[in-house]
mmCIF file of all heavy atoms in Angstrom:
data_model
loop_
_atom_site.group_PDB
_atom_site.id
_atom_site.type_symbol
_atom_site.label_atom_id
_atom_site.label_comp_id
_atom_site.label_asym_id
_atom_site.label_seq_id
_atom_site.Cartn_x
_atom_site.Cartn_y
_atom_site.Cartn_z
ATOM 1 N N PHE F 224 -43.949 32.963 -56.891
ATOM 2 C CA PHE F 224 -43.654 31.722 -57.613
ATOM 3 C C PHE F 224 -44.298 31.740 -58.998
ATOM 4 O O PHE F 224 -43.648 31.457 -60.016
ATOM 5 C CB PHE F 224 -44.179 30.561 -56.764
ATOM 6 C CG PHE F 224 -43.880 29.181 -57.253
ATOM 7 C CD1 PHE F 224 -42.741 28.507 -56.842
ATOM 8 C CD2 PHE F 224 -44.759 28.521 -58.095
ATOM 9 C CE1 PHE F 224 -42.473 27.209 -57.270
ATOM 10 C CE2 PHE F 224 -44.515 27.228 -58.531
ATOM 11 C CZ PHE F 224 -43.366 26.567 -58.119
ATOM 12 N N LEU F 225 -45.576 32.107 -59.052
ATOM 13 C CA LEU F 225 -46.298 32.128 -60.328
ATOM 14 C C LEU F 225 -45.718 33.176 -61.283
ATOM 15 O O LEU F 225 -45.639 32.939 -62.496
ATOM 16 C CB LEU F 225 -47.780 32.388 -60.094
ATOM 17 C CG LEU F 225 -48.550 31.304 -59.339
ATOM 18 C CD1 LEU F 225 -49.984 31.757 -59.087
ATOM 19 C CD2 LEU F 225 -48.528 29.976 -60.088
ATOM 20 N N CYS F 226 -45.317 34.316 -60.743
ATOM 21 C CA CYS F 226 -44.741 35.349 -61.619
ATOM 22 C C CYS F 226 -43.462 34.863 -62.281
ATOM 23 O O CYS F 226 -43.221 35.136 -63.457
ATOM 24 C CB CYS F 226 -44.476 36.622 -60.819
ATOM 25 S SG CYS F 226 -45.945 37.653 -60.598
ATOM 26 N N ALA F 227 -42.630 34.142 -61.540
ATOM 27 C CA ALA F 227 -41.409 33.605 -62.141
ATOM 28 C C ALA F 227 -41.735 32.555 -63.202
ATOM 29 O O ALA F 227 -41.050 32.466 -64.231
ATOM 30 C CB ALA F 227 -40.504 33.013 -61.073
ATOM 31 N N LEU F 228 -42.783 31.762 -62.983
ATOM 32 C CA LEU F 228 -43.155 30.742 -63.961
ATOM 33 C C LEU F 228 -43.559 31.349 -65.294
ATOM 34 O O LEU F 228 -43.256 30.801 -66.360
ATOM 35 C CB LEU F 228 -44.324 29.910 -63.435
ATOM 36 C CG LEU F 228 -44.074 28.951 -62.277
ATOM 37 C CD1 LEU F 228 -45.364 28.232 -61.924
ATOM 38 C CD2 LEU F 228 -42.980 27.941 -62.619
ATOM 39 N N LEU F 229 -44.263 32.475 -65.260
ATOM 40 C CA LEU F 229 -44.817 33.007 -66.507
ATOM 41 C C LEU F 229 -43.813 33.823 -67.313
ATOM 42 O O LEU F 229 -44.103 34.204 -68.450
ATOM 43 C CB LEU F 229 -46.085 33.817 -66.230
ATOM 44 C CG LEU F 229 -45.995 35.112 -65.428
ATOM 45 C CD1 LEU F 229 -45.548 36.293 -66.250
ATOM 46 C CD2 LEU F 229 -47.354 35.401 -64.788
ATOM 47 N N LEU F 230 -42.618 34.076 -66.761
ATOM 48 C CA LEU F 230 -41.646 34.897 -67.476
ATOM 49 C C LEU F 230 -40.877 34.070 -68.508
ATOM 50 O O LEU F 230 -39.677 33.833 -68.406
ATOM 51 C CB LEU F 230 -40.682 35.559 -66.476
ATOM 52 C CG LEU F 230 -41.301 36.697 -65.667
ATOM 53 C CD1 LEU F 230 -40.312 37.202 -64.639
ATOM 54 C CD2 LEU F 230 -41.768 37.825 -66.577
ATOM 55 N N ARG F 231 -41.594 33.642 -69.487
ATOM 56 C CA ARG F 231 -41.050 32.867 -70.610
ATOM 57 C C ARG F 231 -42.179 32.774 -71.620
ATOM 58 O O ARG F 231 -43.324 33.091 -71.322
ATOM 59 C CB ARG F 231 -40.568 31.492 -70.152
ATOM 60 C CG ARG F 231 -41.643 30.639 -69.499
ATOM 61 C CD ARG F 231 -41.027 29.589 -68.595
ATOM 62 N NE ARG F 231 -40.594 30.169 -67.326
ATOM 63 C CZ ARG F 231 -39.401 29.945 -66.769
ATOM 64 N NH1 ARG F 231 -38.521 29.166 -67.357
ATOM 65 N NH2 ARG F 231 -39.094 30.496 -65.609
ATOM 66 N N ASP F 232 -41.858 32.373 -72.834
ATOM 67 C CA ASP F 232 -42.900 32.288 -73.856
ATOM 68 C C ASP F 232 -44.003 31.316 -73.458
ATOM 69 O O ASP F 232 -45.178 31.539 -73.745
ATOM 70 C CB ASP F 232 -42.296 31.873 -75.197
ATOM 71 C CG ASP F 232 -41.462 32.977 -75.824
ATOM 72 O OD1 ASP F 232 -41.607 34.137 -75.389
ATOM 73 O OD2 ASP F 232 -40.678 32.690 -76.737
ATOM 74 N N LYS F 233 -43.623 30.231 -72.788
ATOM 75 C CA LYS F 233 -44.606 29.233 -72.367
ATOM 76 C C LYS F 233 -44.209 28.720 -70.990
ATOM 77 O O LYS F 233 -43.112 28.193 -70.827
ATOM 78 C CB LYS F 233 -44.673 28.074 -73.368
ATOM 79 C CG LYS F 233 -45.744 27.051 -73.045
ATOM 80 C CD LYS F 233 -45.806 25.957 -74.101
ATOM 81 C CE LYS F 233 -46.893 24.942 -73.789
ATOM 82 N NZ LYS F 233 -46.952 23.844 -74.807
ATOM 83 N N PRO F 234 -45.079 28.877 -69.973
ATOM 84 C CA PRO F 234 -44.733 28.395 -68.631
ATOM 85 C C PRO F 234 -44.563 26.877 -68.615
ATOM 86 O O PRO F 234 -45.064 26.165 -69.492
ATOM 87 C CB PRO F 234 -45.939 28.825 -67.787
ATOM 88 C CG PRO F 234 -46.617 29.891 -68.573
ATOM 89 C CD PRO F 234 -46.376 29.556 -70.013
ATOM 90 N N PRO F 235 -43.858 26.348 -67.615
ATOM 91 C CA PRO F 235 -43.789 24.895 -67.451
ATOM 92 C C PRO F 235 -45.188 24.307 -67.300
ATOM 93 O O PRO F 235 -46.129 24.993 -66.894
ATOM 94 C CB PRO F 235 -42.978 24.724 -66.156
ATOM 95 C CG PRO F 235 -42.249 26.010 -65.977
ATOM 96 C CD PRO F 235 -43.118 27.065 -66.577
ATOM 97 N N ALA F 236 -45.308 23.039 -67.620
ATOM 98 C CA ALA F 236 -46.599 22.365 -67.482
ATOM 99 C C ALA F 236 -47.060 22.384 -66.027
ATOM 100 O O ALA F 236 -46.246 22.334 -65.098
ATOM 101 C CB ALA F 236 -46.483 20.921 -67.974
ATOM 102 N N VAL F 237 -48.369 22.449 -65.849
ATOM 103 C CA VAL F 237 -48.922 22.443 -64.500
ATOM 104 C C VAL F 237 -48.447 21.216 -63.730
ATOM 105 O O VAL F 237 -48.129 21.297 -62.538
ATOM 106 C CB VAL F 237 -50.463 22.490 -64.553
ATOM 107 C CG1 VAL F 237 -51.048 22.359 -63.155
ATOM 108 C CG2 VAL F 237 -50.942 23.774 -65.215
ATOM 109 N N SER F 238 -48.384 20.085 -64.398
ATOM 110 C CA SER F 238 -47.962 18.855 -63.728
ATOM 111 C C SER F 238 -46.535 18.944 -63.215
ATOM 112 O O SER F 238 -46.162 18.226 -62.277
ATOM 113 C CB SER F 238 -48.087 17.665 -64.685
ATOM 114 O OG SER F 238 -47.277 17.860 -65.847
ATOM 115 N N ALA F 239 -45.731 19.841 -63.801
ATOM 116 C CA ALA F 239 -44.349 20.007 -63.351
ATOM 117 C C ALA F 239 -44.264 20.921 -62.138
ATOM 118 O O ALA F 239 -43.539 20.639 -61.175
ATOM 119 C CB ALA F 239 -43.488 20.553 -64.493
ATOM 120 N N TRP F 240 -45.002 22.051 -62.157
ATOM 121 C CA TRP F 240 -44.822 23.019 -61.067
ATOM 122 C C TRP F 240 -45.770 22.836 -59.898
ATOM 123 O O TRP F 240 -45.451 23.239 -58.762
ATOM 124 C CB TRP F 240 -44.908 24.455 -61.577
ATOM 125 C CG TRP F 240 -46.178 24.907 -62.241
ATOM 126 C CD1 TRP F 240 -46.410 25.045 -63.573
ATOM 127 C CD2 TRP F 240 -47.396 25.342 -61.585
ATOM 128 N NE1 TRP F 240 -47.680 25.524 -63.803
ATOM 129 C CE2 TRP F 240 -48.309 25.725 -62.599
ATOM 130 C CE3 TRP F 240 -47.799 25.460 -60.247
ATOM 131 C CZ2 TRP F 240 -49.591 26.196 -62.325
ATOM 132 C CZ3 TRP F 240 -49.079 25.918 -59.958
ATOM 133 C CH2 TRP F 240 -49.952 26.284 -60.988
ATOM 134 N N LEU F 241 -46.943 22.235 -60.122
ATOM 135 C CA LEU F 241 -47.930 22.156 -59.050
ATOM 136 C C LEU F 241 -47.411 21.424 -57.806
ATOM 137 O O LEU F 241 -47.630 21.902 -56.684
ATOM 138 C CB LEU F 241 -49.213 21.492 -59.554
ATOM 139 C CG LEU F 241 -50.367 21.465 -58.557
ATOM 140 C CD1 LEU F 241 -50.851 22.881 -58.236
ATOM 141 C CD2 LEU F 241 -51.529 20.633 -59.105
ATOM 142 N N PRO F 242 -46.728 20.280 -57.944
ATOM 143 C CA PRO F 242 -46.238 19.615 -56.721
ATOM 144 C C PRO F 242 -45.345 20.516 -55.877
ATOM 145 O O PRO F 242 -45.380 20.447 -54.637
ATOM 146 C CB PRO F 242 -45.474 18.400 -57.264
ATOM 147 C CG PRO F 242 -46.110 18.125 -58.591
ATOM 148 C CD PRO F 242 -46.433 19.475 -59.148
ATOM 149 N N TRP F 243 -44.556 21.388 -56.523
ATOM 150 C CA TRP F 243 -43.648 22.263 -55.778
ATOM 151 C C TRP F 243 -44.377 23.450 -55.172
ATOM 152 O O TRP F 243 -43.913 24.025 -54.175
ATOM 153 C CB TRP F 243 -42.523 22.726 -56.699
ATOM 154 C CG TRP F 243 -41.684 21.583 -57.151
ATOM 155 C CD1 TRP F 243 -41.784 20.900 -58.334
ATOM 156 C CD2 TRP F 243 -40.659 20.936 -56.416
ATOM 157 N NE1 TRP F 243 -40.878 19.869 -58.370
ATOM 158 C CE2 TRP F 243 -40.172 19.874 -57.211
ATOM 159 C CE3 TRP F 243 -40.092 21.149 -55.156
ATOM 160 C CZ2 TRP F 243 -39.136 19.035 -56.785
ATOM 161 C CZ3 TRP F 243 -39.064 20.307 -54.739
ATOM 162 C CH2 TRP F 243 -38.593 19.272 -55.543
ATOM 163 N N ALA F 244 -45.505 23.832 -55.731
ATOM 164 C CA ALA F 244 -46.324 24.881 -55.124
ATOM 165 C C ALA F 244 -47.067 24.352 -53.898
ATOM 166 O O ALA F 244 -47.257 25.073 -52.914
ATOM 167 C CB ALA F 244 -47.316 25.435 -56.142
ATOM 168 N N LEU F 245 -47.473 23.097 -53.958
ATOM 169 C CA LEU F 245 -48.286 22.521 -52.892
ATOM 170 C C LEU F 245 -47.476 21.804 -51.824
ATOM 171 O O LEU F 245 -48.029 21.417 -50.784
ATOM 172 C CB LEU F 245 -49.326 21.566 -53.480
ATOM 173 C CG LEU F 245 -50.307 22.191 -54.474
ATOM 174 C CD1 LEU F 245 -51.369 21.180 -54.875
ATOM 175 C CD2 LEU F 245 -50.941 23.458 -53.924
ATOM 176 N N ASP F 246 -46.171 21.636 -52.062
ATOM 177 C CA ASP F 246 -45.316 21.016 -51.049
ATOM 178 C C ASP F 246 -43.879 21.449 -51.283
ATOM 179 O O ASP F 246 -43.371 21.347 -52.406
ATOM 180 C CB ASP F 246 -45.416 19.490 -51.090
ATOM 181 C CG ASP F 246 -44.584 18.843 -50.003
ATOM 182 O OD1 ASP F 246 -44.996 18.907 -48.821
ATOM 183 O OD2 ASP F 246 -43.497 18.310 -50.308
ATOM 184 N N ILE F 247 -43.227 21.935 -50.246
ATOM 185 C CA ILE F 247 -41.886 22.481 -50.386
ATOM 186 C C ILE F 247 -40.894 21.435 -50.889
ATOM 187 O O ILE F 247 -39.873 21.772 -51.490
ATOM 188 C CB ILE F 247 -41.416 23.081 -49.035
ATOM 189 C CG1 ILE F 247 -40.168 23.952 -49.217
ATOM 190 C CG2 ILE F 247 -41.195 21.989 -48.011
ATOM 191 C CD1 ILE F 247 -40.385 25.186 -50.028
ATOM 192 N N ASP F 248 -41.202 20.147 -50.664
ATOM 193 C CA ASP F 248 -40.335 19.077 -51.131
ATOM 194 C C ASP F 248 -40.808 18.464 -52.447
ATOM 195 O O ASP F 248 -40.230 17.488 -52.917
ATOM 196 C CB ASP F 248 -40.222 17.975 -50.065
ATOM 197 C CG ASP F 248 -39.488 18.455 -48.821
ATOM 198 O OD1 ASP F 248 -38.494 19.195 -48.967
ATOM 199 O OD2 ASP F 248 -39.915 18.107 -47.698
ATOM 200 N N GLY F 249 -41.877 19.015 -53.032
ATOM 201 C CA GLY F 249 -42.344 18.535 -54.320
ATOM 202 C C GLY F 249 -43.055 17.198 -54.280
ATOM 203 O O GLY F 249 -43.157 16.519 -55.310
ATOM 204 N N ARG F 250 -43.564 16.809 -53.115
ATOM 205 C CA ARG F 250 -44.275 15.534 -53.014
ATOM 206 C C ARG F 250 -45.649 15.652 -53.679
ATOM 207 O O ARG F 250 -46.363 16.633 -53.470
ATOM 208 C CB ARG F 250 -44.438 15.139 -51.546
ATOM 209 C CG ARG F 250 -43.135 14.773 -50.862
ATOM 210 C CD ARG F 250 -43.287 14.643 -49.366
ATOM 211 N NE ARG F 250 -43.504 15.944 -48.728
ATOM 212 C CZ ARG F 250 -43.287 16.187 -47.436
ATOM 213 N NH1 ARG F 250 -42.851 15.221 -46.649
ATOM 214 N NH2 ARG F 250 -43.520 17.391 -46.940
ATOM 215 N N SER F 251 -45.998 14.661 -54.465
ATOM 216 C CA SER F 251 -47.291 14.675 -55.153
ATOM 217 C C SER F 251 -48.419 14.378 -54.172
ATOM 218 O O SER F 251 -48.258 13.588 -53.244
ATOM 219 C CB SER F 251 -47.302 13.642 -56.283
ATOM 220 O OG SER F 251 -46.357 13.986 -57.274
ATOM 221 N N LEU F 252 -49.551 15.030 -54.405
ATOM 222 C CA LEU F 252 -50.727 14.829 -53.574
ATOM 223 C C LEU F 252 -51.810 14.131 -54.384
ATOM 224 O O LEU F 252 -51.802 14.187 -55.621
ATOM 225 C CB LEU F 252 -51.259 16.180 -53.093
ATOM 226 C CG LEU F 252 -50.330 17.010 -52.221
ATOM 227 C CD1 LEU F 252 -50.966 18.359 -51.921
ATOM 228 C CD2 LEU F 252 -50.014 16.281 -50.924
ATOM 229 N N PRO F 253 -52.761 13.478 -53.715
ATOM 230 C CA PRO F 253 -53.896 12.915 -54.453
ATOM 231 C C PRO F 253 -54.591 14.007 -55.254
ATOM 232 O O PRO F 253 -54.746 15.141 -54.792
ATOM 233 C CB PRO F 253 -54.800 12.381 -53.341
ATOM 234 C CG PRO F 253 -53.890 12.131 -52.184
ATOM 235 C CD PRO F 253 -52.838 13.199 -52.265
ATOM 236 N N ALA F 254 -54.985 13.679 -56.470
ATOM 237 C CA ALA F 254 -55.572 14.675 -57.369
ATOM 238 C C ALA F 254 -56.773 15.364 -56.736
ATOM 239 O O ALA F 254 -56.950 16.582 -56.870
ATOM 240 C CB ALA F 254 -55.958 14.015 -58.689
ATOM 241 N N ALA F 255 -57.599 14.612 -56.043
ATOM 242 C CA ALA F 255 -58.806 15.200 -55.442
ATOM 243 C C ALA F 255 -58.447 16.218 -54.367
ATOM 244 O O ALA F 255 -59.140 17.228 -54.202
ATOM 245 C CB ALA F 255 -59.684 14.100 -54.857
ATOM 246 N N SER F 256 -57.379 15.967 -53.625
ATOM 247 C CA SER F 256 -56.958 16.896 -52.574
ATOM 248 C C SER F 256 -56.359 18.158 -53.164
ATOM 249 O O SER F 256 -56.542 19.259 -52.631
ATOM 250 C CB SER F 256 -55.933 16.217 -51.653
ATOM 251 O OG SER F 256 -56.477 15.091 -51.012
ATOM 252 N N ALA F 257 -55.623 18.005 -54.269
ATOM 253 C CA ALA F 257 -54.932 19.139 -54.866
ATOM 254 C C ALA F 257 -55.829 19.995 -55.750
ATOM 255 O O ALA F 257 -55.516 21.161 -56.011
ATOM 256 C CB ALA F 257 -53.742 18.631 -55.689
ATOM 257 N N ALA F 258 -56.949 19.438 -56.215
ATOM 258 C CA ALA F 258 -57.756 20.088 -57.247
ATOM 259 C C ALA F 258 -58.229 21.497 -56.888
ATOM 260 O O ALA F 258 -58.107 22.417 -57.708
ATOM 261 C CB ALA F 258 -58.952 19.204 -57.621
ATOM 262 N N PRO F 259 -58.783 21.742 -55.693
ATOM 263 C CA PRO F 259 -59.269 23.100 -55.411
ATOM 264 C C PRO F 259 -58.152 24.148 -55.494
ATOM 265 O O PRO F 259 -58.328 25.210 -56.109
ATOM 266 C CB PRO F 259 -59.833 22.987 -53.992
ATOM 267 C CG PRO F 259 -60.210 21.540 -53.856
ATOM 268 C CD PRO F 259 -59.140 20.804 -54.601
ATOM 269 N N ALA F 260 -57.006 23.879 -54.879
ATOM 270 C CA ALA F 260 -55.901 24.827 -54.934
ATOM 271 C C ALA F 260 -55.361 24.958 -56.355
ATOM 272 O O ALA F 260 -54.980 26.058 -56.786
ATOM 273 C CB ALA F 260 -54.782 24.393 -53.985
ATOM 274 N N GLN F 261 -55.342 23.868 -57.100
ATOM 275 C CA GLN F 261 -54.863 23.936 -58.480
ATOM 276 C C GLN F 261 -55.721 24.888 -59.303
ATOM 277 O O GLN F 261 -55.192 25.706 -60.073
ATOM 278 C CB GLN F 261 -54.874 22.542 -59.116
ATOM 279 C CG GLN F 261 -54.456 22.565 -60.591
ATOM 280 C CD GLN F 261 -54.472 21.197 -61.235
ATOM 281 O OE1 GLN F 261 -54.485 20.181 -60.544
ATOM 282 N NE2 GLN F 261 -54.476 21.156 -62.555
ATOM 283 N N VAL F 262 -57.029 24.810 -59.157
ATOM 284 C CA VAL F 262 -57.921 25.692 -59.920
ATOM 285 C C VAL F 262 -57.623 27.154 -59.595
ATOM 286 O O VAL F 262 -57.500 28.004 -60.493
ATOM 287 C CB VAL F 262 -59.396 25.351 -59.620
ATOM 288 C CG1 VAL F 262 -60.321 26.422 -60.193
ATOM 289 C CG2 VAL F 262 -59.748 23.986 -60.204
ATOM 290 N N THR F 263 -57.479 27.461 -58.314
ATOM 291 C CA THR F 263 -57.234 28.848 -57.915
ATOM 292 C C THR F 263 -55.870 29.327 -58.394
ATOM 293 O O THR F 263 -55.732 30.462 -58.868
ATOM 294 C CB THR F 263 -57.332 28.981 -56.385
ATOM 295 O OG1 THR F 263 -58.612 28.503 -55.958
ATOM 296 C CG2 THR F 263 -57.184 30.424 -55.952
ATOM 297 N N LEU F 264 -54.866 28.476 -58.297
ATOM 298 C CA LEU F 264 -53.532 28.853 -58.758
ATOM 299 C C LEU F 264 -53.516 29.093 -60.268
ATOM 300 O O LEU F 264 -52.884 30.044 -60.748
ATOM 301 C CB LEU F 264 -52.521 27.771 -58.378
ATOM 302 C CG LEU F 264 -52.147 27.709 -56.897
ATOM 303 C CD1 LEU F 264 -51.384 26.425 -56.597
ATOM 304 C CD2 LEU F 264 -51.314 28.925 -56.499
ATOM 305 N N GLU F 265 -54.218 28.255 -61.018
ATOM 306 C CA GLU F 265 -54.253 28.454 -62.471
ATOM 307 C C GLU F 265 -55.022 29.726 -62.829
ATOM 308 O O GLU F 265 -54.670 30.423 -63.789
ATOM 309 C CB GLU F 265 -54.871 27.234 -63.144
ATOM 310 C CG GLU F 265 -53.972 26.011 -63.110
ATOM 311 C CD GLU F 265 -54.465 24.908 -64.031
ATOM 312 O OE1 GLU F 265 -54.319 25.062 -65.261
ATOM 313 O OE2 GLU F 265 -54.991 23.903 -63.516
ATOM 314 N N GLN F 266 -56.057 30.046 -62.071
ATOM 315 C CA GLN F 266 -56.770 31.302 -62.299
ATOM 316 C C GLN F 266 -55.852 32.491 -62.056
ATOM 317 O O GLN F 266 -55.822 33.451 -62.836
ATOM 318 C CB GLN F 266 -57.995 31.382 -61.380
ATOM 319 C CG GLN F 266 -59.118 30.442 -61.747
ATOM 320 C CD GLN F 266 -60.218 30.424 -60.691
ATOM 321 O OE1 GLN F 266 -60.046 30.954 -59.594
ATOM 322 N NE2 GLN F 266 -61.337 29.806 -61.022
#
């Protein structure tokens, strides 16, 4: 998923792709719950 995101001059905003990485239906999660995985995914 991440490799496909970066194949462009500028990847989509984290706020756009993170819900779809953390839930197959793109449901938003509380920021505190999502934060640890978000940090690792961005790394």
Side-chain angles (χ1 to χ4, degrees):
F224 185 91
L225 294 175
C226 278
L228 290 180
L229 66 81
L230 287 175
R231 59 203 77 227
D232 289 344
K233 184 178 181 181
V237 175
S238 60
W240 60 258
L241 185 65
W243 296 97
L245 300 186
D246 183 74
I247 194 66
D248 293 320
R250 291 169 290 200
S251 296
L252 298 176
S256 299
Q261 177 180 343
V262 169
T263 304
L264 287 168
E265 289 192 74
Q266 289 172 349

